[in-house]
């Protein structure tokens, strides 16, 4: 009887292992929270860690309740795992909600920026060129780049949103201008052509039907227009949107 009441060395080792797992899980909970990581490779870290922590804590509780009996440990671990899965799933749900909220905030910030740019554009247009919709190219492109910058994409998305259902059967010509001392400059022609294509591609990505869009490439020997309140050379490179109603 006395021998049976004693814990075997293997059982003691088993309990020690479970206790170590519980302590390790508790220690892991003290580490700084990591920034939520969105994407298809997200592995539900909250669910998995919750199950591990719950199993460890449940195992210790079971061992205490049953004075080290094997069934008590197993039941405790199982119950702890279920509770841990629930708590972990709730943590993942909150994490996903936080990710969605951050995405929503970024989206609204981009749209607010684009609307501010458009408001300034229409204010200048009313004062300087009311009959034409001309943008300085630096709103969309940096330097002589032919790839649109992120802020430029936001402005194009706002332009697309404004024009998607406005005159839905009209075509829009995207005219790209660049000033060159030599009107036959191949570089200026390349620059304007690639920018016109990029602008059209971004409009299509933003929801405008491709069949509504055309491009026009223009190499000029003087600024397209001069804003008296701005750098006189700013419109050396420009993008113009020309609606063509049928």
């Amino acid at each position: 009887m006395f021998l049976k009441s004693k814990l075997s060395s293997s059982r003691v080792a088993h309990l020690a292992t479970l206790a170590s797992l519980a302590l390790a899980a508790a220690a892991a909970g003290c580490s700084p929270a990591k920034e939520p990581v969105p994407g298809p490779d997200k592995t539900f870290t909250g669910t998995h860690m919750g199950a591990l922590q719950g199993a460890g804590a449940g195992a210790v509780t079971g061992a205490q309740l049953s004075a080290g009996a094997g069934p008590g440990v197993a039941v405790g671990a199982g119950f702890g795992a279920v509770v841990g899965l629930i708590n972990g799933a709730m943590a993942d749900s909150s994490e996903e909600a936080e990710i969605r909220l951050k995405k929503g905030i970024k989206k609204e910030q981009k749209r607010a920026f684009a609307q501010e740019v458009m408001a300034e554009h229409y204010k200048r247009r009313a004062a300087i060129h009311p009959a034409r919709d001309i943008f300085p190219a630096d709103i969309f492109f940096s330097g002589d780049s032919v790839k649109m910058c992120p802020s430029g994409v936001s402005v194009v998305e706002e332009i697309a949103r404004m024009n998607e259902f406005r005159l839905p059967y009209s075509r829009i010509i995207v005219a790209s201008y660049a000033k060159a001392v030599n009107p036959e400059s191949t570089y200026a022609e390349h620059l304007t052509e690639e920018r016109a294509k990029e602008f059209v591609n971004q409009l299509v990505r933003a929801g405008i039907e491709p069949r509504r869009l055309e491009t026009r490439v223009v190499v000029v020997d003087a600024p397209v227009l001069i804003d008296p309140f701005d750098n006189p050379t700013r419109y050396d490179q420009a993008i113009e949107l020309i609606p063509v109603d049928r």
Side-chain angles (χ1 to χ4, degrees), residues 22-236:
L23 289 172
C30 294
S31 60
K34 292 184 178 180
E35 187 73 14
V37 180
D41 57 344
K42 185 175 174 61
T43 56
F44 296 96
T45 52
T47 301
H48 292 164
M49 282 304 297
L52 176 61
Q53 292 174 0
V60 173
T61 302
Q64 291 173 336
L65 292 175
S66 62
V73 175
V75 170
F79 178 76
V82 171
V83 173
L85 281 168
I86 294 172
N87 291 337
M90 290 176 65
D92 278 328
S93 178
S94 298
E95 192 173 314
E96 293 293 347
E98 181 183 348
I99 291 170
R100 286 194 299 271
L101 179 61
K102 286 184 176 180
K103 284 184 177 178
I105 290 173
K106 286 183 179 178
K107 182 178 179 180
E108 291 305 316
Q109 285 176 333
K110 289 179 180 178
R111 186 171 176 183
F113 167 79
Q115 289 176 343
E116 185 177 346
V117 171
M118 292 299 294
E120 178 65 21
H121 165 70
Y122 281 113
K123 188 190 303 181
R124 292 185 179 219
R125 175 181 171 178
I128 303 168
H129 50 99
R132 299 176 69 182
D133 202 8
I134 304 173
F135 297 83
D138 60 17
I139 289 179
F140 310 103
F141 303 96
S142 298
D144 286 339
S145 173
V146 296
K147 182 174 177 58
M148 195 171 292
C149 59
S151 60
V153 172
S154 298
V155 177
V156 170
E157 289 173 349
E158 188 64 18
I159 292 172
R161 189 186 68 82
M162 294 169 62
N163 285 278
E164 186 174 3
F165 302 108
R166 175 171 160 254
L167 302 175
Y169 301 106
S170 69
R171 292 178 296 116
I172 301 173
I173 295 175
V174 176
S176 177
Y177 300 91
K179 178 189 171 185
V181 177
N182 178 10
E184 304 299 325
S185 168
T186 56
Y187 177 75
E189 186 175 355
H190 165 77
L191 184 70
T192 52
E193 184 175 357
E194 292 303 312
R195 283 182 170 181
K197 289 178 182 177
E198 172 75 351
F199 202 100
V200 164
N201 288 338
Q202 293 297 341
L203 283 174
V204 171
R205 291 190 187 102
I208 300 295
E209 292 185 16
R211 62 183 178 179
R212 294 181 56 196
L213 300 168
E214 297 179 17
T215 61
R216 181 179 297 169
V217 173
V218 186
V219 177
V220 294
D221 58 3
V224 179
L225 63 87
I226 295 178
D227 184 342
F229 305 103
D230 203 346
N231 181 346
T233 65
R234 190 179 182 196
Y235 288 84
D236 283 357

